[in-house]
Amino acid sequence: MEFTPHPGFVLWFTGLSGAGKTTLARAVEAELRARAMRVEVLDGDIVRQQLTRDLGFSKEDRDQNILRVGFVAQLLSRNQVAVLAAFISPYRDTRARVRAQTTHFIEVFVDAPLEVCAARDTKGLYARALAGEILHFTGISDPYEAPEAPEIHLRTDQLTVTECVQIILSALEARRLLPPAR
Amino acid sequence: MEFTPHPGFVLWFTGLSGAGKTTLARAVEAELRARAMRVEVLDGDIVRQQLTRDLGFSKEDRDQNILRVGFVAQLLSRNQVAVLAAFISPYRDTRARVRAQTTHFIEVFVDAPLEVCAARDTKGLYARALAGEILHFTGISDPYEAPEAPEIHLRTDQLTVTECVQIILSALEARRLLPPAR
């Protein structure tokens, strides 16, 4: 299979649990694959299995988790892979550290109000967090530091997945990171 | 910069400390870059900084270390990156697990007698291990399980670096993993 050369980049999806990070990453992945690009999706479920099984959810452990992902994202993106990273990544300074070591870092703020995320409760986690069964739950018992100047800001309670994907693809196009569809 | 497409593979250098793993990986790296290939060298110094700072040298920790590296090597190699991994990786079953999850896995046994490695003592570690200052030191106080059927077996006490590199390049060529030199 032949691949379209492109410079490689990291689309970093940050936001609350249930905001739609992985859903958007997977939808963008399909679009990029249709353009014969090399793509890897990294998300919490994959990474905490393979790379960071030892880590919990304290600030220190979350930071370690994100920095390890940042290292992998850097390795991949500098080899012309499009990396779609979907992590709550609640701390601004940690995201900034990952940004600093990546050439094309595009922060995507996947934004939906806490009430909306809690109502969706895709994984049943909010119910458990509100019942006090999960410590360190972002938005409930742990902080979420929203991006101050993300490259892309998506209100997923107001936009459809397709609309969000279009916005992301346009942003990639504007940066000449997207080859034409075949 | 344009890159030559190739299927991606993992050259896994295993052997005692001081056997010449990183030296060979760096020498092969130069050859592959001269062929405009995408290459990443992973070795203990890099990885224990970025990925596994939490881990020590017990069997369990060493295994975790290698499995994390294996995950990263898999991500890179399936995106057509040549991965040169240089790790003592003393346990046979752990190397087998990494092999099982990688498409083109080429085990390179970097073999020199313990006495030769200890005499070289590139990092001054053998002196400290023999003085009892380092616990879990492979070859001294910890086992090294030599590969039983490595794709490549190099006696680095009998061959020059250049000779070793030629053997590795020939093995890649035979597997159609090496584009012609430019």
Side-chain angles (χ1 to χ4, degrees):
Chain A
M1 190 172 179
E2 216 178 287
F3 288 95
T4 311
H6 66 90
F9 53 83
V10 178
L11 273 176
W12 190 276
F13 298 83
T14 172
L16 296 175
S17 177
K21 300 179 296 301
T22 294
T23 304
L24 287 182
R26 291 292 174 191
V28 172
E29 178 193 18
E31 289 293 328
L32 301 187
R33 290 207 186 275
R35 286 163 179 80
M37 293 166 75
R38 281 185 292 271
V39 191
E40 288 292 341
V41 174
L42 303 174
D43 73 5
D45 291 345
I46 300 166
V47 163
R48 284 194 175 264
Q49 271 270 328
Q50 299 278 350
L51 216 53
T52 60
R53 206 183 295 196
D54 55 313
L55 298 175
F57 292 87
S58 66
K59 171 153 193 337
E60 197 175 45
D61 278 10
R62 282 180 192 269
D63 282 355
Q64 261 304 309
N65 187 49
I66 294 305
L67 293 174
R68 285 188 203 163
V69 172
F71 172 65
V72 174
Q74 176 202 7
L75 285 179
L76 287 166
S77 66
R78 76 182 180 198
N79 284 292
Q80 293 79 53
V81 178
V83 179
L84 313 184
F87 296 87
I88 298 173
S89 49
Y91 298 106
R92 214 170 275 146
D93 61 330
T94 320
R95 295 193 304 264
R97 285 177 66 183
V98 176
R99 175 191 289 271
Q101 68 189 21
T102 315
T103 308
H104 295 288
F105 184 88
I106 299 161
E107 194 169 14
V108 185
F109 180 20
V110 184
D111 185 15
L114 182 63
E115 311 77 63
V116 173
C117 295
R120 288 179 186 161
D121 207 8
T122 359
K123 300 178 184 171
L125 295 174
Y126 280 96
R128 291 180 52 208
L130 289 165
E133 289 172 28
I134 305 179
L135 297 174
H136 297 301
F137 194 84
T138 300
I140 305 289
S141 46
D142 241 29
Y144 177 75
E145 300 174 358
E148 283 169 334
E151 278 76 5
I152 303 172
H153 183 166
L154 303 169
R155 283 291 301 255
T156 60
D157 57 325
Q158 298 170 3
L159 297 165
T160 66
V161 170
T162 309
E163 287 169 332
C164 291
V165 169
Q166 275 313 319
I167 292 169
I168 294 169
L169 295 179
S170 299
L172 292 175
E173 234 158 29
R175 287 167 178 77
R176 299 173 176 274
L177 295 171
L178 195 70
R182 293 206 169 168
Chain B
M1 187 169 178
E2 218 179 284
F3 288 96
T4 311
H6 67 89
F9 54 82
V10 178
L11 273 177
W12 190 275
F13 298 84
T14 173
L16 296 175
S17 178
K21 300 179 296 298
T22 294
T23 303
L24 288 182
R26 290 292 174 192
V28 172
E29 179 193 19
E31 289 294 328
L32 301 187
R33 290 206 187 277
R35 287 162 178 80
M37 292 167 76
R38 281 183 294 269
V39 191
E40 288 292 341
V41 175
L42 303 174
D43 73 6
D45 291 346
I46 301 165
V47 163
R48 283 192 176 265
Q49 271 271 330
Q50 298 279 349
L51 215 53
T52 60
R53 207 183 295 195
D54 55 312
L55 298 175
F57 292 87
S58 66
K59 170 151 194 340
E60 197 175 45
D61 278 10
R62 282 180 192 268
D63 281 354
Q64 261 305 308
N65 187 48
I66 295 305
L67 293 174
R68 285 187 204 164
V69 172
F71 173 65
V72 174
Q74 176 202 9
L75 285 179
L76 287 165
S77 66
R78 78 181 180 198
N79 285 292
Q80 292 79 53
V81 178
V83 179
L84 313 184
F87 295 88
I88 298 174
S89 49
Y91 298 108
R92 215 170 272 146
D93 61 330
T94 321
R95 295 193 304 264
R97 285 177 66 184
V98 176
R99 175 190 289 272
Q101 67 189 20
T102 315
T103 307
H104 296 288
F105 184 87
I106 299 161
E107 195 168 15
V108 185
F109 180 19
V110 185
D111 184 14
L114 182 63
E115 311 78 62
V116 173
C117 295
R120 287 178 186 162
D121 207 9
T122 0
K123 300 179 185 170
L125 295 173
Y126 280 96
R128 291 180 54 208
L130 289 165
E133 288 172 28
I134 305 178
L135 297 174
H136 297 301
F137 195 83
T138 301
I140 304 290
S141 46
D142 241 29
Y144 177 75
E145 300 174 358
E148 284 171 334
E151 277 76 6
I152 303 173
H153 184 166
L154 302 170
R155 282 289 302 256
T156 60
D157 57 326
Q158 300 171 2
L159 298 165
T160 66
V161 170
T162 309
E163 287 169 332
C164 291
V165 170
Q166 275 313 319
I167 292 169
I168 294 169
L169 294 180
S170 299
L172 292 175
E173 235 158 26
R175 287 168 179 77
R176 298 173 176 274
L177 295 170
L178 195 71
R182 293 204 168 170

